[in-house]
Amino acid sequence: MIAKLKRIDWNLFTILLVMMGVSIAVIYSATHSTPKFANSTERMIFYYIAGFVVFFVMSMVNYRFWLKYSLYIYGAGLALLLLVMVIGQTLNNAQGWLSIGGLSLQPAELFKMVLILFLATLLARKEQLKLLFWRDVTPLVAITFIPFALVMAQNDLGNALSYLIIMMALLWIGNIKYTQAILFTSLAIVMVIVGIRSYVAYHDNIKTYLADIKRDHWMERLDPWLMPDQATEKAIYHTRNAKLAIASGGLSGEGYMKGTSVQSDRVPLTYSDSIFVVVAEEFGFIGAAILLLLYFTLIHRLILVSLECRERAGPYIIIGIVAMLLYQIFENIGMFIGIMPLTGITLPFISFGGTSLVMNMACMGLVMSIRIHNQEDNDEVSVNVTQRYALNK
């Protein structure tokens, strides 16, 4: 146990501690004047304590244990996604939460790590051989599409898209053929362009169809992004006020707990999805840049760990986690500066949310487990080589 603790990347641990401080401070600023969310800071402290416990537990357990049972974990994850569709609670138009003992669990968040583990397990077995389309790529796409469809049915676009990002990142480093990669990339670009043009051209028809299937609130998320001039006041309220708040922060911000828009509740969900707006308005460009630098440093440490691995599964897991984090950071910040559509995606380690935070901390623990147990393997190899040398001598 002591030997394993010595192998933990304490630089990464320090980054997580700093993010905890930032999260708690910003959540307090966003909620201290709202009685409804008065206990949010205390709850986030509790979530972080639980998260660090999970971090150390995951660090101590050999990550190969999770790989060994990844198929069963994948099956259990799908079962939770199906269960939430039957008895799940609805929040912000998404039926994605299970209530367990007074705590809310979001299976779609947990499934990100489940998917990373299962895809990494399958790719590691290929032993760096080129992936064949029907034998390798098609099953991996199917494995990803099943949870994607289930989460889309729950009306959770943000988390559903993260599954596709994870899959594409792992296929890329999993030695997919360049011709297939170009084909998939071209197809994705064409689909996006055609989708956007079709949305604009058939806007009224799409609006009617979405209303019929009770998904008309999707228009309120897409219109401010694609057709801001025609969006309703209700649709643009969130993003417009978020942009104004970010702009008012200027270079150094309006000051801690002094953000005009944040403190007057002009921006919805400032403690969760919109928490970047709090940082930008109260700490300005400098504060936002420092936060992004923290993320850059975190991802840099994760990549360094992946480069130290001698076996294949470890880097696959880490790159899957990096892809997940990059997507969430880009999407969360992008939707408030007008370059991405509005989705219910949290800012990793900063936004309020128990399931999201604990899952992210579990992923960091998984990375630490990879580092610890790969170093143990390297030490054993060194000892064996030394012993052989001594015997031969």
Side-chain angles (χ1 to χ4, degrees), residues 49-302:
I49 292 172
F52 275 112
V53 171
V54 171
F55 171 83
F56 281 109
V57 171
M58 293 292 291
S59 299
M60 297 300 106
V61 177
N62 194 320
Y63 69 99
R64 298 181 183 93
F65 170 83
W66 307 110
L67 295 174
K68 181 179 179 181
Y69 296 102
S70 60
L71 174 60
Y72 304 104
I73 296 171
Y74 177 83
L78 289 181
L80 283 176
L81 291 179
L82 290 170
L83 181 63
V84 79
M85 294 178 67
V86 178
I87 62 171
Q89 297 178 338
T90 300
L91 181 63
N92 296 328
N93 296 311
Q95 184 180 350
W97 280 262
L98 292 175
S99 182
I100 303 174
L103 298 176
S104 293
L105 174 70
Q106 191 177 9
E109 282 281 359
L110 293 176
F111 202 87
K112 296 173 187 176
M113 187 172 68
V114 173
L115 183 63
I116 291 170
L117 284 170
F118 194 38
L119 293 181
T121 302
L122 297 177
L123 285 170
R125 294 174 183 172
K126 303 302 176 183
E127 298 183 350
Q128 293 186 327
L129 296 174
K130 285 290 185 182
L131 299 180
L132 300 179
F133 182 78
W134 292 111
R135 190 189 69 184
D136 302 319
V137 177
T138 303
L140 294 174
V141 171
I143 287 168
T144 306
F145 181 77
I146 294 171
F148 171 82
L150 291 175
V151 175
M152 281 295 291
Q154 297 170 18
N155 208 15
D156 188 350
L157 176 63
N159 281 318
L161 288 177
S162 69
Y163 301 161
L164 300 182
I165 300 298
I166 290 168
M167 178 198 68
M168 289 188 290
L170 290 179
L171 283 176
W172 176 252
I173 69 161
N175 213 13
I176 190 173
K177 292 181 179 180
Y178 288 122
T179 53
Q180 295 177 6
I182 293 172
L183 176 63
F184 279 124
T185 302
S186 302
L187 181 61
I189 292 173
V190 170
M191 288 178 65
V192 170
I193 294 174
V194 171
I196 291 174
R197 290 189 174 182
S198 299
Y199 182 86
V200 174
Y202 302 101
H203 182 268
D204 293 338
N205 294 333
I206 294 173
K207 182 177 181 179
T208 302
Y209 172 74
L210 290 177
D212 291 340
I213 64 172
K214 298 181 180 179
R215 294 288 189 273
D216 50 316
H217 63 278
W218 283 11
M219 305 291 290
E220 297 177 1
R221 297 187 175 187
L222 293 174
D223 280 355
W225 180 48
L226 298 176
M227 305 175 65
D229 294 336
Q230 298 184 35
T232 64
E233 179 66 22
K234 179 182 178 183
I236 64 174
Y237 178 84
H238 193 163
T239 53
R240 181 190 61 192
N241 287 351
K243 290 178 184 178
L244 290 173
I246 292 172
S248 67
L251 180 63
S252 57
E254 297 183 1
Y256 182 55
M257 295 195 295
K258 296 179 180 178
T260 304
S261 297
V262 170
Q263 301 304 325
S264 60
D265 292 329
R266 293 177 190 169
V267 182
L269 303 173
T270 51
Y271 64 100
S272 57
D273 296 351
S274 308
I275 202 163
F276 178 76
V277 178
V278 185
V279 175
E281 184 178 45
E282 298 190 349
F283 300 98
F285 175 81
I286 295 174
I290 291 173
L291 178 60
L292 291 176
L293 181 61
L294 274 176
Y295 281 125
F296 173 82
T297 308
L298 174 67
I299 290 169
H300 177 253
R301 299 304 304 179
L302 298 182

Side-chain angles (χ1 to χ4, degrees), residues 4 10 22 79 83 90 105 110 120 133 145 151 172 207 238 285 306 322 337 340 373 385-386 388 391:
K4 289 183 177 182
W10 293 105
V22 172
L83 181 63
T90 300
L105 174 70
L110 293 176
F133 182 78
F145 181 77
V151 175
W172 176 252
K207 182 177 181 179
H238 193 163
F285 175 81
S306 72
V322 168
I337 59 176
M340 294 296 287
H373 294 95
V385 170
T386 303
R388 288 176 191 169
L391 290 173

